[in-house]
Amino acid sequence: MLLEMHDICKDYPQGREVVKILKNVELTIDEGDYLAIMGPSGSGKTTLMNLIGCLDVPTSGTYMLNGEDISKASENHLADVRNSTLGFVFQSFYLLPKLSARENVALPLLYAGVKKRQRLRRADEALKMVGLGERLDFMPNQLSGGQQQRVAIARAMINHPKLLLADEPTGALDSASGRQVMDLFDELNANGATIVLITHEPKVGARAKRLRRILDGVLLPEEGGGADGEA
Ligand SMILES: Nc1ncnc2c1ncn2[C@@H]1O[C@H](COP(=O)(O)OP(=O)(O)O)[C@@H](O)[C@H]1O
Ligand SMILES: [Mg+2]
């Protein structure tokens, strides 16, 4: 088991009140899984993604990731776990505009202390893997939205994360580019990557191997006989 969330709740203060945003979430993910979490706007998807992604800690409950209880980890430790274990893809690609595609992709390796030649070699390999081997020196503004998202995916995968997290990765793309990005996720998963994808689009959610719906902060049991939530 790569990830196990048990009885996870997240509250946020809103004005003078405390509002329950996530309610008693049960979630398990194995290595090699490809899970979509689907729900309407405001249902708590990003809040859940932030917890899974160690960007925030739960109000209560336990979260085991890669064999470690990180429910109450410090900020510093969460940052270490993010860097060593997780890759992120967001709706807006967050590429650095003054760096080329290969420099953007190589950036996580700089933080990991990898030497420059090695960094660029690995970045070039990652860009070839996402079909952008002909665009290594292009700047982000010379690339289409779909190409920029593929650069962001190459960057997320460069450290071989245990888990790739994608929050609305096709949300800013036209449907053809969105399909290309989803094809790429299929390929990464077929090659062993574990993926959690968050979306409000049924067409996108339907492409994952597992589907969990979230409604009003409640993560519903898996459809089609999954064990989650039935314990
Ligand atoms: N930092 C925050 N402080 C207070 N309320 C928040 C915060 N983040 C999210 N919320 C609230 O939590 C709910 C779920 O938000 P979010 O997880 O972003 O939903 P989704 O990603 O599904 O659209 C919303 O009602 C939102 O207003
Ligand atoms: Mg969101």
Side-chain angles (χ1 to χ4, degrees):
M1 187 122 19
L2 177 61
L3 177 163
E4 185 169 8
M5 284 188 156
H6 178 57
D7 207 13
I8 289 281
C9 295
K10 182 68 183 178
D11 303 343
Y12 275 130
Q14 284 182 359
R16 287 188 192 171
E17 289 174 42
V18 173
V19 179
K20 291 183 189 302
I21 303 295
L22 292 177
K23 300 161 189 164
N24 313 96
V25 168
E26 304 284 335
L27 174 65
T28 61
I29 293 168
D30 286 318
E31 284 191 31
D33 267 355
Y34 179 9
L35 169 72
I37 296 173
M38 193 165 84
S41 177
S43 56
K45 300 184 297 299
T46 294
T47 304
L48 178 56
M49 152 100 167
N50 288 345
L51 295 183
I52 297 172
C54 301
L55 293 157
D56 201 356
V57 289
T59 305
S60 62
T62 52
Y63 178 21
M64 301 286 297
L65 178 62
N66 206 20
E68 189 189 353
D69 183 353
I70 50 164
S71 323
K72 296 176 185 73
S74 68
E75 289 280 336
N76 276 340
H77 189 58
L78 289 176
D80 287 345
V81 173
R82 286 198 299 273
N83 291 331
S84 63
T85 313
L86 302 171
F88 292 91
V89 176
F90 300 97
Q91 176 169 350
S92 37
F93 327 114
Y94 295 124
L95 301 180
L96 296 183
K98 293 188 174 163
L99 297 185
S100 66
R102 67 188 332 194
E103 289 167 337
N104 267 287
V105 173
L107 206 54
L109 298 177
L110 175 68
Y111 303 135
V114 178
K115 291 212 175 76
K116 185 167 184 187
R117 263 185 61 184
Q118 170 94 342
R119 289 202 301 270
L120 294 178
R121 189 181 59 71
R122 281 176 56 186
D124 291 356
E125 277 171 19
L127 282 164
K128 281 176 196 152
M129 177 187 74
V130 302
L132 292 173
E134 314 284 291
R135 301 272 192 287
L136 302 174
D137 290 313
F138 279 51
M139 304 304 283
N141 67 5
Q142 298 174 310
L143 297 168
S144 71
Q147 289 169 339
Q148 289 183 60
Q149 189 62 299
R150 283 187 280 148
V151 173
I153 293 168
R155 180 182 57 188
M157 294 302 293
I158 191 91
N159 265 332
H160 306 292
K162 299 284 278 181
L163 177 62
L164 177 65
L165 282 170
D167 191 358
E168 304 274 7
T170 62
L173 303 178
D174 63 76
S175 53
S177 308
R179 276 197 300 277
Q180 280 184 4
V181 162
M182 296 309 296
D183 289 345
L184 179 56
F185 283 134
D186 282 352
E187 192 182 320
L188 293 172
N189 179 245
N191 290 326
T194 310
I195 303 175
V196 174
L197 178 149
I198 289 173
T199 186
H200 69 273
E201 296 175 73
K203 268 189 186 159
V204 173
R207 294 202 43 174
K209 285 196 212 157
R210 296 174 56 198
L211 178 65
R212 297 282 304 268
R213 287 174 200 277
I214 184 167
L215 264 185
D216 203 13
V218 178
L219 190 67
L220 302 177
E222 191 155 356
E223 289 158 41
D228 280 344
E230 293 175 2

